[in-house]
Amino acid sequence: MQKIISLLLFTFLAFGATAQEIRGKILNSNEEPIPFAAVQFQENNSGTLCDENGEFSIETNLNSGSLKISAVGYKDQIIELDGQTFISVIMESANTAFEEVVVTGTLNPVSRMESPVPVEIYTPKFFQRNPTPNVFEALQNVNGVRPQVNCNVCNTGDIHINGLEGPYTMVLLDGMPIVSGLSTVYGLSGIPNSMIERIEIVKGPASSLYGSEAVGGLINIITKSAAKAPKFTADVMATSWTEKNIDLGFKKSFSNGFDALTGVNYYHYGKPIDNNGDNFTDLTLQNRVSVFQKLQLTKNRKTVFNVAGRYFYEDRWGGEMNWTPTFRGGDQVYGESIYTQRWEVLGKYQLPTHEDVSLSVSYNDHEQNSVYGDTPYLARQKIAFGQLLWLKGINKHQFSTGLAVRNTFYNDNTPATASSENLDIDQPNNTFLPGVFVQDEIKVTDKFNVLGGYRLDYHPTHKLIHTPRLALKYSPTPQQVVRFNVGTGFRVVNVFTEDHAALTGARDVIINEELLPERSTNLNLNYMGKLVTSSNSYIGLDATAFYTYFYNRITPDYETNTDQIIYRNLDGHSVSKGISANIDFNAANGFSASIGGTLMDNRIVENGVSRVPLLTERFQGVWSFATPVFSPNLTFSYTGNLYSPMDLPVLGELDPRPSSSPWWSIQNIQLSYKHAKSGFEIYGGIKNLLDFTPAANSIARAHDPFDRMVDFDAEGNVLPTAENPYALTFDPSYVYAPNQGRRGFIGLRWNLD
């Protein structure tokens, strides 16, 4: 790393060789100075910053060339030099910070400030401060969002929003429910980062628009437009743990407005590491490939048709260090091995009518062949989705209405899809779920909007399911908005597709009753304000108070019997409430910062007793800083998160492992250098700077993964013995943070426009 930094500094100093001085002044449209604007030669990337009076001087050995002028709140300008030694530049204001367009909250493309539903936007630039090989890990620095590792052995996980478990989070790809059910465990891996335009996040129920699963919130991964994407992108990264990740993107434009965009992702990790000494891999070994293809037809600057497809294959395993594929499915050496392959197709067609009517469709086929020790889990899930949407603006009304239909096929080798009369007879689940929704946003005044929505779904078992919503938006000024949202959500549950703990085979799964759909009601109060200061710095504040009440919540009971997981509808209710705030700051000199925190209180109330769900933190903090170092092209980044203690699933009163996690934090640093003219960027740094990992005894009885030396009584309870004094069984579900410690990384990006 020191050699890389020295090389970058030497390159910068070499570019700084001088022969003449060029001075200038940077002004706004009112001819007022713009302090700390960046001035940079396009030819060799030498540059400087203006002083507080908007003045600069720069030495160069170039007789002519072009200067790029950049300042927060203004559009970049290119000034061609032709022997001048003094220039005066008038910058044009750019209100991009106020004009971010979102589609997730209402299905209408609107300015983020104009949306009555609060939507958070995260671009690749934000995630590049802490580069990761998949979307799952990338979300670790988003406030209120936590990637939760659910298994110490195979390292699978899901996404928690405001402390709610992964199944309450709906993940969309270009607005389509492409990642759900079985694929929530593995589907967030392998989406090529080179294909991502931005990620939009809505916290709180959105079932009135998106149906089942959008109970705690949704994450919409929006891919790049094939027409606007760069011709070629590449991002290659490696770590000191020998991880290797390659992201490639290609675009080809044809005549008649037809464009094709291709993305390829490859990830490989094949070196078993056991730093905590439990004889189990600290990080799952993986071999993953994903190919993404998008075709788009554009006419009159409007996309009329696009279709995209993705193929994903992954081979991952974790387990005892001496495991090899020859032990797969056996009871000699413990390993968890998962083969996954998945097809996805999605498309949207703008119907050739005078009205704004579009048809969206998606289909995915997910096949999983896995073994957890000697327990096989073979599953197949196919989901077909279609939606007809009509958008209509009439006077002060903006109508959205549509028909949606979703068919889910699911089959596995567990009792979940077996005949109740004969477990040897297969009876796959095939659920047809049609729905209709309507929404009207009314512009009551220039400052006040009201949005009302209603959705009606029909489930073959649970019949009619209603999900209304109401949103109020008040904008006292163009830079401030206050939103109040109230809505409902519902979720139809399949335990085996959603809870990894049900698959491991470490505990028996008990379902004593028919599981009813979960229902929720949510209240959400949001304030958002933006300000450009007199020094041309940008400040943004986004604060939210939330409250969600759940009915029929399905909870896994780990404590009644330590050898079982008992699933049932809660005989009571649960509540999720809290406050969340984000502050963003961008200075004219290139420094930027984002700091956020969420204080939450999640509780389950049953028989008058209140308890906090397992693996639920009470506080989360995140931060992300980036600043130029010596040159506008050399950037230092510092990112991190902080979590409060959370209750953990211990195996009874004798379990010596702590029943609560400590305060913990994952922090990262990075130094990147970008050569503006060529588009090349080299970056490197350290992940998990503090080298935090959970305790070495996180896996109970790692030395006896098949419970050969465990004694049980007649009722199936574990008996304490001299060899097993704490009455434990093998259990890898005691996990709250990754086992992967400190590691270095280095990478290279290249964009060719």
Side-chain angles (χ1 to χ4, degrees):
M1 181 58 66
Q2 291 179 343
K3 293 182 179 179
I4 294 174
I5 295 174
S6 300
L7 177 61
L8 296 177
L9 293 177
F10 175 80
T11 304
F12 170 70
L13 293 174
F15 282 151
T18 64
Q20 65 175 332
E21 180 184 49
I22 295 175
R23 297 184 300 110
K25 192 164 188 176
I26 311 301
L27 307 170
N28 61 22
S29 58
N30 296 324
E31 298 190 0
E32 299 169 334
I34 300 176
F36 309 117
V39 181
Q40 182 181 33
F41 268 102
Q42 295 286 89
E43 285 72 20
N44 61 12
N45 290 314
S46 60
T48 188
L49 297 176
C50 295
D51 61 20
E52 63 272 12
N53 298 315
E55 298 178 350
F56 73 91
S57 66
I58 185 171
E59 295 181 341
T60 180
N61 58 357
L62 298 173
N63 296 321
S64 63
S66 57
L67 283 178
K68 179 181 179 181
I69 316 296
S70 305
V72 174
Y74 297 89
K75 296 181 180 179
D76 292 349
Q77 285 202 34
I78 305 296
I79 305 298
E80 298 295 335
L81 297 176
D82 188 14
Q84 302 125 294
T85 58
F86 182 86
I87 61 173
S88 180
V89 180
I90 304 295
M91 300 287 284
E92 182 181 352
S93 176
N95 294 319
T96 54
F98 301 94
E99 297 173 354
E100 297 167 307
V101 175
V102 297
V103 297
T104 305
T106 64
L107 297 180
N108 290 300
V110 296
S111 163
R112 184 185 176 198
M113 294 292 288
E114 290 297 320
S115 172
V117 178
V119 181
E120 297 178 14
I121 300 177
Y122 297 91
T123 64
K125 186 176 181 180
F126 174 86
F127 296 117
Q128 285 172 2
R129 295 178 183 177
N130 177 32
T132 61
N134 56 60
V135 176
F136 177 81
E137 292 182 38
L139 295 171
Q140 66 183 273
N141 291 116
V142 175
N143 187 22
V145 177
R146 182 168 67 89
Q148 166 65 40
V149 177
N150 291 329
C151 177
N152 267 311
V153 180
C154 65
N155 298 149
T156 55
D158 52 26
I159 303 296
H160 291 204
I161 293 182
N162 288 340
L164 296 175
E165 293 89 342
Y168 297 100
T169 300
M170 188 175 202
V171 180
L172 308 172
L173 185 63
D174 287 333
M176 296 287 100
I178 206 75
V179 181
S180 58
L182 180 64
S183 60
T184 56
V185 178
Y186 309 100
L188 282 174
S189 301
I191 298 176
N193 291 335
S194 59
M195 297 294 98
I196 298 176
E197 176 71 23
R198 66 185 187 275
I199 295 178
E200 297 183 359
I201 298 177
V202 176
K203 298 172 183 175
S207 292
S208 63
L209 284 181
Y210 295 98
S212 179
E213 297 172 36
V215 179
L218 61 89
I219 298 172
N220 191 3
I221 302 168
I222 298 175
T223 60
K224 292 178 180 178
S225 164
K228 300 178 181 178
K231 292 181 180 178
F232 175 74
T233 61
D235 193 340
V236 180
M237 183 178 74
T239 75
S240 58
W241 277 44
T242 72
E243 298 168 274
K244 293 175 274 298
N245 186 72
I246 301 174
D247 254 316
L248 301 175
F250 312 86
K251 186 189 84 169
K252 175 67 175 176
S253 296
F254 302 91
S255 59
N256 301 321
F258 184 72
D259 297 278
L261 179 63
T262 303
V264 178
N265 171 256
Y266 176 71
Y267 175 81
H268 176 75
Y269 169 66
K271 180 183 178 182
I273 293 178
D274 177 27
N275 286 337
N276 63 9
D278 62 0
N279 195 41
F280 272 73
T281 53
D282 292 343
L283 178 66
T284 304
L285 283 77
Q286 300 171 51
N287 198 35
R288 179 176 71 233
V289 63
S290 176
V291 181
F292 180 91
Q293 180 71 63
K294 188 173 187 178
L295 306 175
Q296 183 172 309
L297 178 63
T298 305
K299 291 184 177 180
N300 299 323
R301 298 184 178 181
K302 186 175 182 180
T303 301
V304 296
F305 174 74
N306 71 64
V307 61
R310 181 171 77 114
Y311 173 73
F312 168 86
Y313 175 80
E314 182 181 69
D315 173 5
R316 69 161 61 198
W317 75 268
E320 294 185 90
M321 292 290 288
N322 58 331
W323 188 91
T324 66
T326 59
F327 295 107
R328 191 176 195 267
D331 62 357
Q332 298 303 308
V333 179
Y334 188 90
E336 297 187 2
S337 170
I338 301 102
Y339 302 146
T340 304
Q341 63 175 349
R342 175 178 173 85
W343 292 91
E344 301 168 352
V345 178
L346 62 155
K348 182 177 180 180
Y349 176 57
Q350 195 73 32
L351 272 63
T353 66
H354 295 295
E355 299 293 334
D356 188 355
V357 181
S358 60
L359 175 65
S360 300
V361 296
S362 69
Y363 175 79
N364 65 74
D365 188 330
H366 187 107
E367 185 176 359
Q368 183 173 318
N369 179 328
S370 51
V371 292
Y372 301 89
D374 58 356
T375 302
Y377 175 68
L378 310 175
R380 185 84 175 268
Q381 179 174 270
K382 295 182 281 187
I383 300 177
F385 176 83
Q387 178 174 276
L388 187 67
L389 176 65
W390 176 43
L391 304 177
K392 180 70 173 180
I394 303 176
N395 297 325
K396 295 184 177 182
H397 296 261
Q398 181 64 51
F399 291 100
S400 307
T401 186
L403 302 172
V405 62
R406 183 173 178 175
N407 192 84
T408 303
F409 170 89
Y410 174 74
N411 191 27
D412 64 24
N413 64 324
T414 74
T417 57
S419 169
S420 58
E421 299 177 355
N422 187 343
L423 295 180
D424 294 329
I425 299 178
D426 220 16
Q427 286 189 342
N429 293 333
N430 200 60
T431 305
F432 183 74
L433 188 65
V436 58
F437 61 90
V438 61
Q439 178 177 271
D440 182 19
E441 182 179 353
I442 307 170
K443 191 175 183 65
V444 181
T445 68
D446 291 339
K447 297 183 178 182
F448 184 63
N449 286 27
V450 177
L451 179 145
Y454 176 78
R455 183 183 182 106
L456 179 66
D457 290 274
Y458 181 81
H459 190 276
T461 302
H462 308 298
K463 308 308 177 185
L464 295 176
I465 302 176
H466 309 264
T467 47
R469 78 189 302 196
L470 174 68
L472 309 177
K473 181 182 77 72
Y474 174 66
S475 301
T477 70
Q479 291 78 36
Q480 298 182 83
V481 60
V482 179
R483 305 177 177 97
F484 176 74
N485 281 237
V486 56
T488 61
F490 79 95
R491 188 170 75 95
V492 178
V493 179
N494 187 323
V495 166
F496 287 89
T497 68
E498 297 168 355
D499 191 344
H500 175 268
L503 308 177
T504 63
R507 300 190 186 207
D508 294 329
V509 175
I510 306 298
I511 303 176
N512 291 325
E513 58 188 23
E514 181 181 350
L515 299 178
L516 301 176
E518 296 186 334
R519 302 296 302 267
S520 69
T521 299
N522 171 267
L523 304 176
N524 186 301
L525 180 64
N526 170 262
Y527 169 81
M528 182 176 174
K530 299 188 177 184
L531 173 68
V532 175
T533 69
S534 58
S535 62
N536 297 303
S537 297
Y538 160 76
I539 301 174
L541 173 64
D542 193 340
T544 301
F546 57 89
Y547 178 91
T548 305
Y549 187 96
F550 287 91
Y551 315 81
N552 294 337
R553 183 165 177 175
I554 295 171
T555 57
D557 179 358
Y558 292 85
E559 299 173 353
T560 299
N561 186 321
T562 59
D563 202 39
Q564 297 177 343
I565 309 176
I566 303 172
Y567 291 92
R568 58 185 176 82
N569 286 108
L570 188 67
D571 185 15
H573 66 275
S574 71
V575 172
S576 171
K577 59 185 177 181
I579 55 175
S580 176
N582 287 295
I583 299 177
D584 298 307
F585 177 78
N586 291 275
N589 63 0
F591 173 79
S592 62
S594 176
I595 304 174
T598 299
L599 183 64
M600 65 192 87
D601 183 15
N602 292 304
R603 293 191 174 273
I604 293 175
V605 180
E606 190 172 25
N607 299 322
V609 178
S610 174
R611 60 183 174 88
V612 177
L614 297 175
L615 299 171
T616 303
E617 70 277 18
R618 289 179 172 86
F619 174 79
Q620 175 197 10
V622 295
W623 62 87
S624 176
F625 299 94
T627 185
V629 181
F630 304 121
S631 161
N633 299 325
L634 187 62
T635 303
F636 173 79
S637 302
Y638 171 46
T639 60
N641 50 48
L642 175 67
Y643 299 105
S644 68
M646 58 189 76
D647 293 338
L648 302 175
V650 294
L651 298 177
E653 296 180 355
L654 298 179
D655 195 330
R657 299 174 299 176
S659 60
S660 179
S661 69
W663 284 85
W664 60 283
S665 175
I666 302 294
Q667 301 178 26
N668 320 281
I669 58 173
Q670 176 184 258
L671 192 66
S672 63
Y673 177 81
K674 185 173 184 179
H675 191 274
K677 188 174 182 180
S678 66
F680 277 102
E681 179 179 5
I682 185 171
Y683 59 89
I686 301 174
K687 290 181 176 291
N688 197 357
L689 186 65
L690 303 181
D691 198 27
F692 174 82
T693 56
N697 65 341
S698 293
I699 300 178
R701 291 186 64 80
H703 66 283
D704 183 23
F706 295 100
D707 290 338
R708 290 193 176 93
M709 295 178 284
V710 178
D711 293 337
F712 300 88
D713 64 17
E715 297 178 355
N717 299 309
V718 183
L719 296 173
T721 63
E723 196 282 334
N724 185 17
Y726 303 116
L728 303 179
T729 59
F730 172 72
D731 183 22
S733 64
Y734 180 94
V735 58
Y736 57 92
N739 280 316
Q740 194 174 17
R742 184 189 299 120
R743 59 207 181 276
F745 67 94
I746 189 169
L748 177 69
R749 297 189 189 97
W750 184 37
N751 283 353
L752 178 62
D753 292 326

